[in-house]
Protein backbone atom coordinates (compact mmCIF):
# COMPACT_ATOMS: atom_id res chain seq x y z
CA UNK A 1 0.00 0.00 0.00
CA UNK A 2 1.37 3.38 -1.13
CA UNK A 3 1.76 6.17 1.31
CA UNK A 4 -0.61 9.07 0.86
CA UNK A 5 2.04 11.71 1.46
CA UNK A 6 5.41 10.37 0.24
CA UNK A 7 8.45 12.40 1.08
CA UNK A 8 11.72 12.56 -0.95
CA UNK A 9 15.12 14.07 -0.54
CA UNK A 10 15.22 17.65 0.62
CA UNK A 11 16.05 20.59 -1.61
CA UNK A 12 19.47 21.01 -0.09
CA UNK A 13 20.24 17.38 -0.81
CA UNK A 14 19.16 17.76 -4.40
CA UNK A 15 21.28 20.87 -4.77
CA UNK A 16 24.29 19.12 -3.36
CA UNK A 17 23.83 16.21 -5.77
CA UNK A 18 23.53 18.63 -8.73
CA UNK A 19 26.68 20.50 -7.69
CA UNK A 20 28.65 17.28 -7.31
CA UNK A 21 27.38 16.02 -10.70
CA UNK A 22 28.36 19.31 -12.35
CA UNK A 23 31.82 19.23 -10.86
CA UNK A 24 32.23 15.63 -11.97
CA UNK A 25 31.13 16.48 -15.54
CA UNK A 26 33.48 19.49 -15.68
CA UNK A 27 36.37 17.41 -14.46
CA UNK A 28 35.58 14.62 -16.90
CA UNK A 29 35.38 17.09 -19.78
CA UNK A 30 38.75 18.59 -18.93
CA UNK A 31 40.51 15.23 -18.59
CA UNK A 32 38.70 13.03 -21.09
CA UNK A 33 36.89 13.13 -24.42
CA UNK A 34 34.18 10.70 -23.41
CA UNK A 35 31.54 13.44 -23.28
CA UNK A 36 32.15 14.66 -26.86
CA UNK A 37 29.66 12.19 -28.44
CA UNK A 38 27.10 13.24 -25.85
CA UNK A 39 27.75 16.93 -26.52
CA UNK A 40 27.39 16.36 -30.28
CA UNK A 41 24.14 14.50 -29.78
CA UNK A 42 22.73 17.18 -27.49
CA UNK A 43 23.73 19.91 -29.96
CA UNK A 44 21.18 18.59 -32.47
CA UNK A 45 18.47 19.53 -29.97
CA UNK A 46 20.02 22.59 -28.37
CA UNK A 47 21.31 24.52 -31.44
CA UNK A 48 17.86 24.92 -33.08
CA UNK A 49 16.57 26.25 -29.78
CA UNK A 50 19.41 28.82 -29.70
CA UNK A 51 18.63 29.85 -33.27
CA UNK A 52 14.96 30.21 -32.45
CA UNK A 53 15.78 32.29 -29.38
CA UNK A 54 18.06 34.59 -31.43
CA UNK A 55 15.72 34.75 -34.44
CA UNK A 56 13.54 37.70 -33.29
CA UNK A 57 16.51 39.93 -32.47
CA UNK A 58 18.25 38.94 -35.73
CA UNK A 59 15.12 39.70 -37.76
CA UNK A 60 14.66 43.03 -36.02
CA UNK A 61 18.28 43.99 -36.63
CA UNK A 62 18.20 42.97 -40.29
CA UNK A 63 14.90 44.76 -40.85
CA UNK A 64 16.24 47.91 -39.20
CA UNK A 65 19.39 47.78 -41.35
CA UNK A 66 17.31 47.24 -44.50
CA UNK A 67 15.03 50.17 -43.67
CA UNK A 68 18.00 52.41 -42.89
CA UNK A 69 19.73 51.37 -46.10
CA UNK A 70 16.56 51.92 -48.14
CA UNK A 71 16.02 55.36 -46.60
CA UNK A 72 19.64 56.35 -47.21
CA UNK A 73 19.54 55.07 -50.79
CA UNK A 74 16.26 56.88 -51.43
CA UNK A 75 17.65 60.17 -50.12
CA UNK A 76 20.83 59.74 -52.13
CA UNK A 77 18.80 58.91 -55.24
CA UNK A 78 16.69 62.05 -54.78
CA UNK A 79 19.82 64.14 -54.25
CA UNK A 80 21.47 62.72 -57.36
CA UNK A 81 18.32 63.34 -59.39
CA UNK A 82 18.23 66.96 -58.23
CA UNK A 83 21.91 67.38 -59.06
CA UNK A 84 21.36 65.80 -62.46
CA UNK A 85 18.49 68.18 -63.17
CA UNK A 86 20.58 71.17 -62.08
CA UNK A 87 23.51 70.05 -64.22
CA UNK A 88 21.27 69.46 -67.23
CA UNK A 89 19.79 72.94 -66.79
CA UNK A 90 23.28 74.40 -66.59
CA UNK A 91 24.32 72.49 -69.70
CA UNK A 92 21.29 73.86 -71.56
CA UNK A 93 22.21 77.37 -70.44
CA UNK A 94 25.83 76.85 -71.46
CA UNK A 95 24.70 75.53 -74.85
CA UNK A 96 22.50 78.61 -75.32
CA UNK A 97 25.36 80.89 -74.28
CA UNK A 98 27.69 79.11 -76.67
CA UNK A 99 25.28 79.59 -79.57
CA UNK A 100 24.74 83.22 -78.58
CA UNK A 101 28.50 83.71 -78.47
CA UNK A 102 28.80 82.24 -81.98
CA UNK A 103 26.06 84.56 -83.26
CA UNK A 104 27.65 87.61 -81.66
CA UNK A 105 31.07 86.70 -83.04
CA UNK A 106 29.54 86.40 -86.50
CA UNK A 107 27.87 89.79 -86.11
CA UNK A 108 31.12 91.32 -84.87
CA UNK A 109 33.12 89.93 -87.77
CA UNK A 110 30.57 91.13 -90.31
CA UNK A 111 30.36 94.56 -88.69
CA UNK A 112 34.08 95.03 -89.40
CA UNK A 113 33.57 93.89 -92.98
CA UNK A 114 30.82 96.47 -93.51
CA UNK A 115 33.12 99.40 -92.83
CA UNK A 116 30.21 101.40 -91.44
CA UNK A 117 28.88 102.18 -88.00
CA UNK A 118 26.57 99.50 -86.67
CA UNK A 119 24.53 98.97 -83.53
CA UNK A 120 23.64 95.50 -82.27
CA UNK A 121 20.01 95.26 -81.14
CA UNK A 122 18.24 92.37 -79.43
CA UNK A 123 14.87 91.06 -80.58
CA UNK A 124 11.92 91.85 -78.30
CA UNK A 125 8.82 90.64 -80.15
CA UNK A 126 7.68 89.27 -83.51
CA UNK A 127 4.53 89.96 -85.50
CA UNK A 128 4.18 87.30 -88.19
CA UNK A 129 0.71 87.93 -89.60
CA UNK A 130 0.31 86.72 -93.22
CA UNK A 131 0.26 90.33 -94.45
CA UNK A 132 2.67 91.89 -91.96
CA UNK A 133 6.20 90.78 -91.07
CA UNK A 134 7.38 93.19 -88.38
CA UNK A 135 9.74 92.67 -85.45
CA UNK A 136 10.59 94.89 -82.51
CA UNK A 137 14.10 95.44 -81.10
CA UNK A 138 15.37 97.02 -77.90
CA UNK A 139 17.17 100.02 -79.43
CA UNK A 140 15.46 103.32 -80.30
CA UNK A 141 15.97 107.05 -80.67
CA UNK A 142 17.97 107.11 -77.42
CA UNK A 143 20.71 105.33 -79.42
CA UNK A 144 20.25 107.44 -82.56
CA UNK A 145 18.07 104.94 -84.43
CA UNK A 146 15.78 106.50 -87.04
CA UNK A 147 13.34 105.29 -89.73
CA UNK A 148 14.62 103.88 -93.04
CA UNK A 149 17.83 102.56 -91.52
CA UNK A 150 18.92 99.23 -93.03
CA UNK A 151 19.00 96.23 -90.70
CA UNK A 152 21.21 93.18 -91.25
CA UNK A 153 22.26 89.97 -89.59
CA UNK A 154 25.47 87.98 -90.04
CA UNK A 155 24.28 86.63 -93.43
CA UNK A 156 22.46 89.41 -95.23
CA UNK A 157 19.75 92.08 -95.30
CA UNK A 158 16.92 91.64 -92.78
CA UNK A 159 14.80 94.73 -93.45
CA UNK A 160 14.58 98.38 -92.50
CA UNK A 161 13.46 100.47 -89.54
CA UNK A 162 9.96 101.82 -90.07
CA UNK A 163 9.26 103.32 -86.63
CA UNK A 164 11.65 104.43 -83.90
CA UNK A 165 10.62 105.03 -80.30
CA UNK A 166 12.83 106.14 -77.39
CA UNK A 167 13.44 102.61 -76.08
CA UNK A 168 12.54 100.39 -79.05
CA UNK A 169 12.16 100.29 -82.81
CA UNK A 170 10.01 98.42 -85.30
CA UNK A 171 11.63 96.71 -88.28
CA UNK A 172 9.83 95.60 -91.42
CA UNK A 173 11.35 92.42 -92.82
CA UNK A 174 12.15 92.09 -96.51
CA UNK A 175 9.56 89.29 -96.74
CA UNK A 176 6.72 91.64 -95.76
CA UNK A 177 4.29 91.97 -98.74
CA UNK A 178 4.56 95.77 -98.44
CA UNK A 179 8.34 95.78 -98.66
CA UNK A 180 10.38 96.20 -101.84
CA UNK A 181 14.14 96.44 -102.12
CA UNK A 182 16.22 97.40 -105.20
CA UNK A 183 18.67 94.59 -106.00
CA UNK A 184 21.06 93.58 -108.72
CA UNK A 185 22.34 90.22 -109.91
CA UNK A 186 25.89 89.94 -108.62
CA UNK A 187 26.94 87.90 -111.68
CA UNK A 188 26.04 90.42 -114.37
CA UNK A 189 24.77 93.59 -112.63
CA UNK A 190 21.15 93.14 -113.82
CA UNK A 191 18.91 95.53 -111.86
CA UNK A 192 15.48 94.65 -110.53
CA UNK A 193 13.29 94.87 -107.44
CA UNK A 194 12.72 92.10 -104.87
CA UNK A 195 9.27 92.16 -103.28
CA UNK A 196 8.18 90.41 -100.10
CA UNK A 197 5.96 87.39 -100.64
CA UNK A 198 4.41 87.10 -97.18
CA UNK A 199 6.37 83.87 -96.65
CA UNK A 200 9.38 83.81 -94.37
CA UNK A 201 11.62 81.97 -96.83
CA UNK A 202 10.73 83.56 -100.17
CA UNK A 203 11.05 86.77 -102.16
CA UNK A 204 9.47 87.52 -105.53
CA UNK A 205 11.13 89.22 -108.50
CA UNK A 206 8.03 90.24 -110.49
CA UNK A 207 9.55 92.74 -112.93
CA UNK A 208 11.95 90.72 -115.08
CA UNK A 209 11.02 89.64 -118.62
CA UNK A 210 11.08 86.04 -119.80
CA UNK A 211 14.42 86.52 -121.57
CA UNK A 212 16.20 88.08 -118.60
CA UNK A 213 19.75 86.89 -117.95
CA UNK A 214 19.09 85.37 -114.54
CA UNK A 215 19.29 81.77 -113.37
CA UNK A 216 18.93 79.69 -110.19
CA UNK A 217 21.89 80.16 -107.86
CA UNK A 218 22.49 83.81 -108.75
CA UNK A 219 23.26 86.02 -105.75
CA UNK A 220 21.16 89.15 -105.37
CA UNK A 221 22.78 92.12 -103.63
CA UNK A 222 21.57 95.62 -102.82
CA UNK A 223 22.00 97.97 -105.76
CA UNK A 224 22.20 101.17 -103.69
CA UNK A 225 19.29 102.73 -105.60
CA UNK A 226 16.64 104.43 -103.50
CA UNK A 227 19.10 105.61 -100.85
CA UNK A 228 17.96 103.28 -98.06
CA UNK A 229 20.27 100.30 -98.50
CA UNK A 230 23.94 100.92 -99.34
CA UNK A 231 25.29 98.94 -102.27
CA UNK A 232 26.71 95.45 -101.96
CA UNK A 233 24.76 93.83 -99.09
CA UNK A 234 23.67 90.21 -99.80
CA UNK A 235 19.89 89.93 -100.08
CA UNK A 236 18.85 86.58 -101.54
CA UNK A 237 19.73 83.68 -103.84
CA UNK A 238 17.58 82.89 -106.87
CA UNK A 239 16.06 79.44 -106.49
CA UNK A 240 13.50 79.26 -109.32
CA UNK A 241 13.09 80.84 -112.75
CA UNK A 242 9.90 79.97 -114.65
CA UNK A 243 9.23 81.74 -117.99
CA UNK A 244 5.62 82.78 -118.57
CA UNK A 245 5.09 82.85 -122.39
CA UNK A 246 1.60 84.34 -122.06
CA UNK A 247 2.72 87.07 -119.65
CA UNK A 248 5.18 89.94 -120.01
CA UNK A 249 7.18 88.94 -116.95
CA UNK A 250 8.66 85.66 -115.74
CA UNK A 251 7.92 84.00 -112.40
CA UNK A 252 11.10 84.25 -110.33
CA UNK A 253 11.54 83.49 -106.63
CA UNK A 254 14.54 83.80 -104.33
CA UNK A 255 15.47 82.67 -100.81
CA UNK A 256 16.65 85.39 -98.39
CA UNK A 257 20.24 85.09 -97.20
CA UNK A 258 19.37 86.38 -93.72
CA UNK A 259 18.13 83.87 -91.15
CA UNK A 260 14.86 85.71 -90.63
CA UNK A 261 13.23 83.05 -88.44
CA UNK A 262 16.27 82.37 -86.22
CA UNK A 263 17.76 85.74 -85.35
CA UNK A 264 18.02 86.98 -81.78
CA UNK A 265 20.42 89.82 -82.51
CA UNK A 266 20.31 92.24 -85.45
CA UNK A 267 22.62 94.98 -86.73
CA UNK A 268 21.24 98.46 -87.38
CA UNK A 269 23.53 100.21 -89.86
CA UNK A 270 24.46 103.86 -90.38
CA UNK A 271 25.73 104.64 -93.86
CA UNK A 272 28.00 107.46 -92.65
CA UNK A 273 30.98 107.17 -90.33
CA UNK A 274 30.00 110.01 -87.98
CA UNK A 275 29.71 108.57 -84.45
CA UNK A 276 26.22 108.61 -83.01
CA UNK A 277 26.18 110.23 -79.52
CA UNK A 278 24.60 108.04 -76.87
CA UNK A 279 23.87 110.98 -74.55
CA UNK A 280 21.42 113.80 -75.03
CA UNK A 281 22.71 117.08 -76.53
CA UNK A 282 21.78 118.95 -73.33
CA UNK A 283 24.03 116.68 -71.22
CA UNK A 284 26.83 117.05 -73.73
CA UNK A 285 26.57 120.86 -73.57
CA UNK A 286 26.49 120.75 -69.77
CA UNK A 287 29.71 118.73 -69.79
CA UNK A 288 31.41 121.21 -72.09
CA UNK A 289 30.44 124.22 -69.92
CA UNK A 290 31.66 122.59 -66.70
CA UNK A 291 34.98 124.07 -65.43
CA UNK A 292 37.20 123.01 -62.51
CA UNK A 293 36.51 124.82 -59.24
CA UNK A 294 40.06 126.08 -58.84
CA UNK A 295 40.16 127.80 -62.24
Amino acid sequence: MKLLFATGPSINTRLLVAVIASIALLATEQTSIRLDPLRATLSFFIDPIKYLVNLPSTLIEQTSDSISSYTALKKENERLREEQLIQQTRLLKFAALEKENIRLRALLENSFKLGEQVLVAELLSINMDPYEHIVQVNKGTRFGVHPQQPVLDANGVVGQVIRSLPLSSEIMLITDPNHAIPVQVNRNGLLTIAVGSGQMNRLNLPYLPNNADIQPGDLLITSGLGGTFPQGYPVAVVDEFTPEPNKPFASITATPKAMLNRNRELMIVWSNTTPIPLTSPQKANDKKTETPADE
Side-chain angles (χ1 to χ4, degrees):
M1 183 175 177
K2 294 182 179 181
L3 296 175
L4 183 60
F5 297 100
T7 59
S10 63
I11 295 177
N12 293 332
T13 303
R14 294 176 183 176
L15 178 61
L16 180 61
V17 171
V19 170
I20 294 171
S22 299
I23 293 172
L25 289 173
L26 290 173
T28 304
E29 181 183 8
Q30 293 295 326
T31 59
S32 174
I33 59 172
R34 295 177 181 178
L35 293 180
D36 289 345
L38 178 62
R39 182 184 292 107
T41 303
L42 292 176
S43 67
F44 283 106
F45 302 98
I46 295 174
D47 288 345
I49 295 174
K50 292 193 296 184
Y51 293 144
L52 289 175
V53 171
N54 293 330
L55 182 61
S57 61
T58 303
L59 289 176
I60 292 173
E61 185 178 356
Q62 291 179 352
T63 303
S64 177
D65 292 342
S66 299
I67 293 174
S68 299
S69 300
Y70 175 77
T71 304
L73 288 174
K74 187 176 180 181
K75 289 181 179 179
E76 185 177 5
N77 190 18
E78 291 177 355
R79 180 179 61 82
L80 292 175
R81 284 180 179 275
E82 291 177 357
E83 290 183 0
Q84 182 184 13
L85 181 61
I86 293 172
Q87 297 299 332
Q88 287 178 344
T89 305
R90 288 179 178 176
L91 286 175
L92 290 175
K93 186 176 181 180
F94 289 154
L97 289 174
E98 182 181 8
K99 292 180 180 178
E100 183 179 2
N101 189 22
I102 293 172
R103 292 196 306 268
L104 291 175
R105 282 179 178 272
L107 287 175
L108 183 62
E109 291 174 1
N110 281 272
S111 67
F112 283 111
K113 294 176 183 177
L114 292 176
E116 293 159 348
Q117 184 181 4
V118 298
L119 176 68
V120 177
E122 187 176 351
L123 205 64
L124 291 179
S125 64
I126 303 174
N127 182 6
M128 290 300 174
D129 292 339
Y131 301 104
E132 192 176 63
H133 289 187
I134 294 176
V135 299
Q136 190 175 27
V137 296
N138 64 343
K139 296 294 190 297
T141 56
R142 189 168 64 94
F143 291 89
V145 179
H146 56 81
Q148 295 187 347
Q149 277 189 270
V151 180
L152 291 82
D153 68 0
N155 300 291
V157 176
V158 172
Q160 62 176 304
V161 178
I162 60 171
R163 184 177 293 108
S164 184
L165 303 173
L167 300 178
S168 64
S169 298
E170 293 182 359
I171 298 170
M172 178 182 290
L173 303 183
I174 57 175
T175 54
D176 190 294
N178 297 316
H179 190 276
I181 177 172
V183 297
Q184 69 180 37
V185 179
N186 192 45
R187 177 173 56 86
N188 55 18
L190 179 65
L191 299 174
T192 185
I193 295 176
V195 180
S197 65
Q199 299 180 14
M200 188 58 62
N201 60 347
R202 194 176 76 176
L203 295 175
N204 293 328
L205 281 70
Y207 305 116
L208 286 176
N210 292 309
N211 60 351
D213 183 12
I214 189 171
Q215 57 191 14
D218 281 342
L219 174 64
L220 303 177
I221 62 175
T222 53
S223 63
L225 300 178
T228 299
F229 296 92
Q231 184 180 4
Y233 291 168
V235 178
V237 176
V238 178
D239 54 16
E240 186 177 352
F241 175 80
T242 305
E244 299 285 349
N246 300 326
K247 297 180 180 179
F249 301 109
S251 175
I252 306 172
T253 60
T255 301
K257 289 283 291 181
M259 308 298 288
L260 300 179
N261 58 345
R262 300 181 187 178
N263 286 321
R264 290 297 304 272
E265 297 86 15
L266 302 174
M267 287 190 297
I268 302 175
V269 181
W270 281 266
S271 58
N272 56 33
T273 56
T274 304
I276 301 298
L278 300 185
T279 57
S280 64
Q282 182 63 35
K283 289 184 178 180
N285 293 332
D286 292 343
K287 274 191 173 183
K288 290 181 180 179
T289 55
E290 285 181 359
T291 56
D294 56 349
E295 287 185 358

